[in-house]
Each structure stands twice: as structure tokens, then as C-alpha cells.
Amino acid sequence: MTATSPRLKHEVKDLALAPLGRQRIDWAGREMPVLKQIRDRFAQEKPFAGIRLVACCHVTTETAHLAIALKAGGADAILIASNPLSTQDDVAASLVADHEIPVFALKGEDNATYNRHVQIALDHRPNIIIDDGSDVVAELVQNRQHQIADLIGSTEETTTGIVRLRAMFNDGVLTFPAVNVNDADTKHFFDNRYGTGQSTLDGIIRATNILLAGKNVVVVGYGWCGKGTALRARGMGANVIVTEIDPIKAIEAVMDGFRVLPMAEAATYGDIFITVTGNKHVVRGEHFDVMKDGAIVCNSGHFDLELDLKYLKSQAKEVKEVRPFTEEYKLTSGKSVVVLGQGRLINLAAAEGHPSAVMDMSFANQALAVEYLVKNKGKLEPGLHSIPVEVDQEIARLKLEAMGIHIDTLTADQIEYINSWTSGT
């Protein structure tokens, strides 16, 4: 850990890890051609000159490319972790050593350290906040109202963060524009579905080395993350059960060929439980009580509170780590429950997060959302704003181009037809 007095310039585990981080960042860049094109343009145009920016994100190889792109655009940026277990320490070291980007992130940092890093971020007096879960924005709104005058706006990456921002707006405290990056088509259709689906199973397998084929896997929630997770689990040979509270999503799961049960019943069948709801205590005491001996539970939503770990600890006579990121809770009932990644994001705690190819589109959205806020400074109303459709489509076009894929365009006759109401059968 390197520091200068009286104020830290960065806080990472070990700068000696930078060469490994540099190598891994370079490898990820091979799969991120869209963000590279955006970075090259930013380097020429410098759209963020004079802008102070805070990014609260998972510190991964992919995030590194976003941070590098923003700095290339002239931003005075600092980066903090958005989750205590998601930081890749070698990447954090490389960003500091090789790119002179201040990073405050340590894998495994405790809550006090995490909260201190949020304060350091806000001490930067940001004009733009890139958030992942809305922790920085929430702290700003609750305890640093005087700094809102500095803010052009914020962007939000996750479903959980969007839920919090909507609640802020409904309570009348979201007094600045926030761009909903999560709901861009080139984000949630790909990142949430394909990224979460693959990386979640990757994390489970790395943590446990279990065979998924033949197991009963309970996917709690059938949003885009749940759809991707269920699809990939079935592809690995698992028997997938879905739990839902939304009747439309539940019937969609049925039509997709999955068994749908209430959680109280699914809890008795499951060998592995994966939560992807963004809500609180979706697996709780009455569910833990009826699980099989040795049931495995993990979370791939944003916060660890999807699992009621406080209850589980209250019922445990012993908790021990049996593998890295794998803890066995031996209960007073005689059964055991295995918790992966301390209930935090299993795909980042035990694995490397989403593949670079999908984060290429997600972070292209983030970069262009920041540019959109800066270009429209003072013009946007307070509240949530969607990524402009033309930006979404441009990201998809650039991705297809990088993949060597070409698509059709409408003819003049077709354009006339779809804009006319006089032609019919």
C-alpha cells in the first residue's frame, strides 16, 4: 500500500503487481474494439477537459479500459471499488503505475475501508459520477448536499442502482440528471444475460469444482440476469428451477421450459441456489431451514443482502472456510449450508466477472453516457434519462463491424411503405 501524507494519492494492495495487471489489461483489450474506437476519438477531441470524474466500479481488466478511455478524453478521474470483493489487485496496481490514475480499491476490503473510499471519491468534488449500485450518489444526496452544485450528472450501471435512483426521484432528492446505462439495449440484453450467465457459473465452478450436470439449480429471479443464468445452467446439464414474484416473468420462464416454484418449495429441492433479484432476503430463514444438507447458496445480484446471512450465522455452531471463497456453515440442526463468496457477487469474488466482449458494449455505453451529460450540461431535467437510441444503435453497429458482420438496410421503397398508412393488404 502506497500513500503520501496528509492525503492518499492511491490505495492499492501492491504496486509490484502492476506488470501482471498490465498484461491482463492488454489481453482484455483484444476483445474490446468498440471502446478502443471511442478512446481513440476521445484522445483527439478531449471532451472531458476540465471535468472532475469519479468512477465507482468493479476494478477489473475491462473497467481499466473504461478508465483509460476517460483519461484519454481529458478527465481528471479517480476510481474506487463498487464491491469489497470485486477488485483485481493487479489491475488496480497497473492503473496507478502505468496510467497514473488514482485508484482506491483493495480486494477483501472491509466495510469501513469501502466507506472511507467513498468519502475520498466525494472529496474529489466530482462533476460526473459513474456509479455501480448508487452508493456514491446516495452518500452525496444524504450527507453532501452542498456538493450537488458541482455535479453535471451521474450514470448508473446496474439494475440495483436504477431501483435506488428511482426511489430517490420519487422521494424528491434526485435533483440532477442521471443516465440509465443499465437499460440500454446494448447493455442489458448482452451484459446481464450473456455476461452474468457465463460468469456466474464460472465463479461457482472455480469456488467449488462441482459438476453441474444432474444438479438441481434454483435461480431466484428471472430478469435478464436470471434468464442468462438459467440458460447457461441448463446448458451445463443442470435441472433448473426458477422462482419469481412477477407473473409475466414466471410464465415466460415456464414457456422457456423451466420449472417454476415458490421459494418455500424450491428450497427443499435445490442443490445450488443463485440469487439475481437485487432485493433483500430473497433466501431467508425459513428457506435455509428446509434446505438439503450441503446445499450451496450464492449471489450474483449486486448486494450480499439477497441472502439473510445474519440468520444463517445465528443458527451456525461453526463456520469454516473449506476452499477459497467457500464457507461451510454447520448448523445446530446437524445440517450444513455452504455459502460462496461471503454472499457477494460470486462472478467477481471467485472469478473475473463478465467476459471482455460483453463489457466492451457496456463500457462503451458508460463512456458515451458521460459524453452525453457533458455535451448537455444544464439542459437535462433532474431524474433518470435513457441512453439515446441513436447511441445504442451506434454501439451495436460498431460491434458488428468489429466482428466482420454486415446487415441489410431498408430500400427507399421500404422506408416509404413503413411510414405510410394508406398501403395495406
Side-chain angles (χ1 to χ4, degrees):
M1 187 184 301
T2 304
T4 60
S5 185
R7 181 174 173 179
L8 292 171
K9 286 188 175 180
H10 57 262
E11 191 170 3
V12 299
K13 184 177 182 180
D14 187 353
L15 289 179
L17 296 170
L20 176 59
R22 185 187 320 125
Q23 182 178 337
R24 293 181 59 242
I25 291 168
D26 289 346
W27 175 260
R30 300 182 184 203
E31 293 281 300
M32 304 184 75
V34 176
L35 193 57
K36 181 183 183 303
Q37 292 178 71
I38 293 170
R39 183 188 72 215
D40 290 345
R41 177 171 66 79
F42 283 177
Q44 292 290 324
E45 299 176 3
K46 302 292 182 186
F48 311 132
I51 298 294
R52 296 187 303 276
L53 185 147
V54 163
C56 179
C57 301
H58 304 298
V59 182
T60 66
T61 55
E62 294 78 23
T63 304
H65 285 278
L66 173 62
I68 293 165
L70 294 169
K71 183 176 181 183
D76 175 8
I78 71 171
L79 175 63
I80 67 170
S82 63
N83 190 288
L85 280 180
S86 65
T87 296
Q88 295 169 5
D89 289 318
D90 56 340
V91 171
S94 177
L95 285 172
V96 172
D98 300 321
H99 300 280
E100 298 182 341
I101 295 172
V103 180
F104 300 85
L106 301 152
K107 189 175 181 74
E109 63 189 52
D110 58 24
N111 287 338
T113 302
Y114 174 74
N115 291 329
R116 178 165 55 79
H117 290 167
V118 171
Q119 299 304 322
I120 288 171
L122 288 172
D123 287 345
H124 192 54
R125 300 192 67 87
N127 308 123
I128 298 284
I129 296 171
I130 297 176
D131 225 343
D132 192 316
S134 284
D135 278 350
V136 177
V137 167
E139 177 63 20
L140 176 76
V141 167
Q142 291 179 82
N143 298 312
R144 299 219 186 185
Q145 284 276 334
H146 62 284
Q147 286 186 223
I148 291 178
D150 295 332
L151 200 65
I152 297 171
S154 70
T155 70
E156 175 54 52
E157 176 83 4
T158 68
T159 304
T160 300
I162 295 303
V163 169
R164 295 181 80 185
L165 287 172
R166 288 196 175 110
M168 290 180 206
F169 185 73
N170 290 337
D171 286 348
V173 297
L174 185 64
T175 56
F176 49 85
V179 178
N180 181 352
V181 171
N182 181 73
D183 288 353
D185 287 347
T186 47
K187 196 279 185 184
H188 72 270
F189 284 150
F190 301 92
D191 176 324
N192 293 19
R193 175 169 40 173
Y194 300 112
T196 303
Q198 179 170 312
S199 62
T200 296
L201 297 193
D202 184 21
I204 292 169
I205 292 168
R206 291 197 201 195
T208 64
N209 195 32
I210 62 168
L211 179 69
L212 290 179
K215 296 288 195 302
N216 293 328
V217 174
V218 178
V219 177
V220 186
Y222 203 66
W224 285 107
C225 292
K227 290 171 187 174
T229 302
L231 181 66
R232 291 293 175 260
R234 178 166 64 187
M236 294 287 285
N239 304 307
V240 179
I241 299 168
V242 170
T243 74
E244 249 302 337
I245 59 165
D246 185 325
I248 295 174
K249 291 178 181 176
I251 199 166
E252 185 179 6
V254 172
M255 297 296 186
D256 286 344
F258 298 111
R259 188 179 183 189
V260 176
L261 294 173
M263 187 62 207
E265 188 176 350
T268 65
Y269 293 111
D271 299 304
I272 304 164
F273 296 82
I274 305 167
T275 60
V276 277
T277 69
N279 212 331
K280 178 181 179 181
H281 293 174
V282 293
V283 178
R284 50 191 182 271
E286 64 264 33
H287 307 138
F288 288 125
D289 288 345
V290 298
M291 286 181 183
K292 298 176 182 179
D293 182 29
I296 296 170
V297 297
C298 65
N299 170 48
S300 210
H302 190 77
F303 295 122
D304 58 351
L305 51 68
E306 297 209 23
L307 308 173
D308 188 355
L309 296 180
K310 185 176 181 181
Y311 172 85
L312 195 60
K313 288 175 184 174
S314 75
Q315 301 300 304
K317 58 184 179 181
E318 182 185 4
V319 180
K320 67 176 182 179
E321 185 177 74
V322 292
R323 287 171 59 93
F325 309 110
T326 305
E327 293 178 314
E328 182 179 32
Y329 286 68
K330 291 189 176 181
L331 307 181
T332 54
S333 65
K335 296 191 301 185
S336 67
V337 173
V338 176
V339 177
L340 305 184
Q342 300 176 22
R344 298 192 182 276
L345 285 163
I346 186 57
N347 57 344
L348 282 155
E352 298 179 55
H354 296 348
S356 305
V358 293
M359 293 311 299
D360 187 30
M361 289 187 285
S362 297
F363 284 155
N365 274 291
Q366 281 284 19
L368 295 181
V370 172
E371 184 180 40
Y372 176 71
L373 282 171
V374 171
K375 283 184 174 180
N376 290 278
K377 178 182 178 182
K379 300 176 185 176
L380 300 175
E381 294 294 322
L384 275 172
H385 296 262
S386 298
I387 291 277
V389 173
E390 58 271 20
V391 171
D392 217 347
Q393 291 180 338
E394 176 64 7
I395 291 169
R397 187 192 66 77
L398 290 172
K399 191 68 171 180
L400 287 169
E401 183 180 287
M403 298 168 73
I405 296 171
H406 305 281
I407 61 174
D408 290 320
T409 57
L410 292 172
T411 66
D413 188 46
Q414 288 170 332
I415 293 172
E416 182 180 0
Y417 175 78
I418 63 174
N419 285 289
S420 171
W421 59 270
T422 57
S423 299
T425 55

